[in-house]
Amino acid sequence: MSLLEVIGLRKNFGGIQAVRGFDIAIEERQIVCLIGPNGSGKTTIFNLITGLIPATAGRVIIDGRRDIIGRKPHAITAMGVARTFQNQRLFNHMTLLENVLVGCARSAKAGLASILLGLPGARAEKLQMIERARSLLALFGERLLPQADDLAGSLSYANRRRLEIARALATEPRLLLLDEPAAGMNPTESRELMTDILRVRDRGVAILLIEHDMTVVRGISDRVVALDYGVKIADGDFAEIRRHPKVIEAYLGRGTVDA
Amino acid sequence: MTERLTRYGPFLLALIALVAPLLAPNDYVIGVLARICLYALLALGLNIVVGFAGLLDLGFVAFFGIGSYVYAFLASPHFGLHLPFAAVMLVIIFTAAGSGVLIGAPTLRLRGDYLAIVTLGFGEITYICLVNLDRPVNITGGPNGLLSIDPPSFLGFVIDHNIEYYYLFLLTLGLVVLLSRRLRDSRIGWAWRAIREDEIAAEAMGVNTTMAKLQAFAVGASIAGFAGGLLASWQRSVFPDNFLLQESINILAMVILGGLGSVLGAILGAVAIVSLPEIFRDFALYRLLAFGLILILVMILRPQGLLAPRSGARRSAETK
Ligand SMILES: Nc1ncnc2c1ncn2[C@@H]1O[C@H](COP(=O)(O)OP(=O)(O)OP(=O)(O)O)[C@@H](O)[C@H]1O
Ligand SMILES: [Mg+2]
């Protein structure tokens, strides 16, 4: 039984068919890369899976039984799917720690009354959350933790990407969707990111990531899925995908698969 | 310098607030001080809705009005009810919270400007109801309002001097400051601020935005309602004209002037906006002009408000 199963997913924006019957299955602890030329529908698939936009048709099933189509984003997050955004959507006027705390709070129980009254239960829960948020920042070594109390808006580009990952992990996902995490990173930073992603997987999280940097794709993916015009054109390991005629055709003239 | 200000500022302010009425030259000034506290309460209430959660509410004064009238209904000869002060205030908290949810619910999907327009409408509707609900059955007393309202009393001790009201309001203000800060640094506060920053990202991080927004409306409204109850008990009468749009704007100005999302800022905003027109009273006609100019100047010089919300630089040390 797959962790995530997407069946016949479709999305039309008016006349544009952004996703045209997409299928994928992801197993526990797998790292799957989603590649495809610009505008091929990769981000749209993420938006559909996380419930940010409604699907035109199709099913998205978690654990082989729960269809998440039609559910609200926060309910989907509660089922163990978290994500980062291609255009970075951090809470800029909140501290790094607070950004992560927003995710940690998902499973918090303290009600309005116990918070207002400052009951011991609410306090203890908050301390636990802060502890957990710090340990998530610590996943990135000295990159984030020393700046825990700075505003997220003050972070460097690469650190912003790292914080997005830490924040998503705070919701305790079993599947993490990363939308171009290496975009804008230099080769050293990309390499570091790869080990970070592998470490996240070792915590028991499956990862579906969109990536243009073929070094990264080759370096970490168990499987690669290629997309063109909203349709899956290939699915296999990196070596197969790289030689796949349809993939080569999709990228010809629009950029090349070189790695 | 600013660090010291944020650390010792609140204590200094509290100290000033405690001795201020003792140094006041006359009862009128004590009345102004009491009014500052009342408006600071309103500003703190609105700060939760606009400052924390980022929901622009232009009809906030409606809850102030609802609180006042509920007080008048339950503690005046109008309906012949004279419930104890504490009981009335308790009823007000829940009625106002309920009306906050009622008014909030239909606006959940609206953002920014649209939300502002709809809440503006709610504020006006509340005003019109207060003016017109004297016929066919006299509920609100119409434009003449409701009179002979009971003063607050605790175990037989009746409050009837400005200075006593002042300390009652100040005590409430202190409590609401404490509650505001607790909320700000709680899972609910984080959710509110996340929504203000980026609603879509907040949802994706598991924030139930519907719930969080309704909580913001409810908490903000109950603070305003409470302030309304205090107003009714102090004026011993209530009139629809206490709750005009102008008041909503004034309260919003306090929050913005102080720095959206800053608890201490909201209070400073209230101090400035209530006291400046009093200070310029001698200038008669130029009073409002001077007031307007000062507001414009502050906003040009400090667009983020007098006190931008603390960056949280020391907040986590506090919460550890
Ligand atoms: N909200 C929207 N409304 C209308 N059209 C949209 C919307 N979102 C995406 N599209 C269109 O759907 C198609 C797929 O877009 P999508 O963002 O999913 O591509 P992508 O594969 O993520 O591309 P990139 O590599 O540039 O990020 C594009 O043609 C895009 O213009
Ligand atoms: Mg994209």
Side-chain angles (χ1 to χ4, degrees):
Chain A
M1 186 186 62
S2 306
L3 175 59
L4 178 90
E5 217 178 330
V6 175
I7 304 162
L9 196 60
R10 294 183 165 276
K11 179 67 191 179
N12 300 344
F13 293 110
I16 303 173
Q17 297 187 310
V19 180
R20 303 185 292 167
F22 177 75
D23 306 308
I24 196 173
I26 296 171
E27 312 302 324
E28 305 255 4
R29 292 168 159 264
Q30 223 177 21
I31 299 184
V32 180
C33 265
L34 187 58
I35 65 167
N38 292 121
S40 53
K42 305 180 296 294
T43 299
T44 305
I45 288 171
F46 273 23
N47 289 341
L48 292 169
I49 294 176
T50 52
L52 291 186
I53 57 175
T56 306
R59 294 196 295 157
V60 176
I61 296 164
I62 291 187
D63 286 335
R65 50 198 165 86
R66 296 192 289 183
D67 192 339
I68 62 179
I69 287 290
R71 291 186 199 249
K72 292 206 161 178
H74 71 85
I76 294 173
T77 308
M79 290 175 173
V81 180
R83 70 173 293 173
T84 65
F85 293 89
Q86 183 172 358
N87 309 316
Q88 300 184 343
R89 308 187 76 136
L90 289 170
F91 309 126
N92 284 326
H93 296 94
M94 296 172 74
T95 66
L96 273 62
L97 192 69
E98 287 169 338
N99 267 268
V100 179
L101 282 168
V102 172
C104 290
R106 184 186 67 70
S107 49
K109 307 228 165 26
L112 184 60
S114 53
I115 289 169
L116 287 176
L117 296 173
L119 295 186
R123 282 166 183 260
E125 188 183 69
K126 182 168 141 186
L127 292 185
Q128 276 171 15
M129 282 191 278
I130 292 176
E131 214 38 59
R132 202 157 74 75
R134 291 192 152 272
S135 72
L136 284 164
L137 290 176
L139 274 183
F140 297 91
E142 293 294 295
R143 297 289 194 185
L144 299 179
L145 195 55
Q147 305 182 63
D149 295 326
D150 293 349
L151 294 187
S154 70
L155 284 182
S156 74
Y157 192 84
N159 274 341
R160 295 174 61 80
R161 294 241 173 249
R162 295 183 182 112
L163 181 58
E164 271 219 334
I165 295 175
R167 187 181 66 169
L169 285 175
T171 67
E172 300 183 297
R174 284 183 302 151
L175 173 66
L176 179 60
L177 310 180
L178 301 175
D179 199 342
E180 303 197 14
M185 285 190 175
N186 64 35
T188 324
E189 289 166 340
S190 294
R191 262 197 306 282
E192 195 182 319
L193 178 78
M194 284 160 58
T195 59
D196 289 337
I197 292 177
L198 291 171
R199 210 144 17 95
V200 169
R201 189 262 302 277
D202 293 340
R203 289 165 65 99
V205 181
I207 293 163
L208 174 62
L209 80 157
I210 298 173
E211 193 45 72
H212 283 300
D213 183 337
M214 288 302 149
T215 322
V216 176
V217 176
R218 183 176 60 182
I220 56 171
S221 46
D222 299 317
R223 233 172 86 210
V224 181
V225 172
L227 200 68
D228 196 23
Y229 291 115
V231 183
K232 182 158 87 174
I233 53 172
D235 187 336
D237 65 30
F238 182 78
E240 291 171 51
I241 295 297
R242 205 178 144 198
R243 273 185 238 105
H244 200 289
K246 280 191 179 169
V247 176
I248 293 169
E249 187 195 314
Y251 274 90
L252 266 184
R254 290 184 262 174
T256 45
V257 193
D258 41 13
Chain B
M1 162 66 196
T2 41
E3 270 192 26
R4 274 208 202 142
L5 195 75
T6 43
R7 177 168 298 180
Y8 300 112
F11 297 102
L12 202 66
L13 214 64
L15 197 67
I16 295 174
L18 277 172
V19 298
L22 307 174
L23 307 173
N26 54 44
D27 200 50
Y28 177 80
V29 172
I30 296 178
V32 172
L33 291 174
R35 205 143 49 80
I36 288 177
C37 288
L38 214 52
Y39 276 87
L41 277 175
L42 288 168
L44 285 177
L46 187 61
N47 186 49
I48 285 176
V49 183
V50 185
F52 290 172
L55 304 163
L56 186 49
D57 185 344
L58 287 185
F60 194 64
V61 77
F63 306 115
F64 190 40
I66 289 170
S68 284
Y69 274 81
V70 169
Y71 189 99
F73 294 158
L74 299 179
S76 82
H78 184 58
F79 291 133
L81 291 173
H82 298 279
L83 268 54
F85 180 73
V88 176
M89 295 313 277
L90 207 64
V91 173
I92 288 177
I93 290 178
F94 287 101
T95 330
S99 41
V101 170
L102 270 181
I103 290 181
T107 65
L108 285 172
R109 298 187 160 277
L110 305 174
R111 284 170 206 205
D113 334 358
Y114 299 100
L115 176 63
I117 302 286
V118 173
T119 50
L120 184 80
F122 280 124
E124 292 302 280
I125 289 170
T126 309
Y127 174 75
I128 289 167
C129 288
L130 296 181
V131 175
N132 291 301
L133 284 182
D134 53 343
R135 288 156 294 141
V137 190
N138 186 0
I139 301 175
T140 63
N144 300 325
L146 297 171
L147 310 172
S148 309
I149 292 172
D150 300 344
S153 69
F154 301 92
L155 307 166
F157 176 76
V158 178
I159 286 189
D160 61 356
H161 291 97
N162 269 350
I163 191 157
E164 291 160 1
Y165 280 105
Y166 173 79
Y167 283 114
L168 172 63
F169 296 176
L170 188 65
L171 179 72
T172 315
L173 183 60
L175 257 164
V176 172
V177 167
L178 182 75
L179 297 183
S180 283
R181 297 172 63 129
R182 274 195 187 149
L183 279 173
R184 180 190 61 195
D185 298 321
S186 73
R187 68 176 185 88
I188 295 177
W190 299 324
W192 284 339
R193 285 149 64 208
I195 291 174
R196 179 195 67 195
E197 292 290 307
D198 187 330
E199 191 168 342
I200 289 176
E203 277 189 291
M205 291 313 126
V207 173
N208 183 341
T209 53
T210 305
M211 185 62 150
K213 286 181 182 184
L214 288 180
Q215 280 172 331
F217 280 121
V219 174
S222 51
I223 295 173
F226 201 94
L230 294 178
L231 173 79
S233 79
W234 183 32
Q235 279 191 167
R236 312 285 299 274
S237 54
V238 288
F239 309 99
D241 283 6
N242 292 137
F243 314 108
L244 288 168
L245 171 64
Q246 179 61 42
E247 295 297 315
S248 287
I249 306 282
N250 277 342
I251 303 163
L252 185 63
M254 294 169 192
V255 178
I256 294 175
L257 187 72
L260 274 171
S262 161
V263 172
L264 199 57
I267 296 175
L268 287 185
V271 171
I273 294 206
V274 176
S275 64
L276 281 181
E278 299 295 336
I279 292 167
F280 291 112
R281 204 165 268 283
D282 295 339
F283 300 89
L285 261 180
Y286 298 105
R287 178 161 81 109
L288 289 176
L289 185 67
F291 177 59
L293 280 178
I294 287 182
L295 287 193
I296 292 171
L297 268 179
V298 171
M299 292 326 290
I300 289 175
L301 296 176
R302 278 192 75 86
Q304 73 279 45
L306 292 173
L307 294 180
R310 285 195 295 156
S311 69
R314 238 178 354 270
R315 196 181 297 151
S316 65
E318 250 168 51
T319 49
K320 238 178 280 175

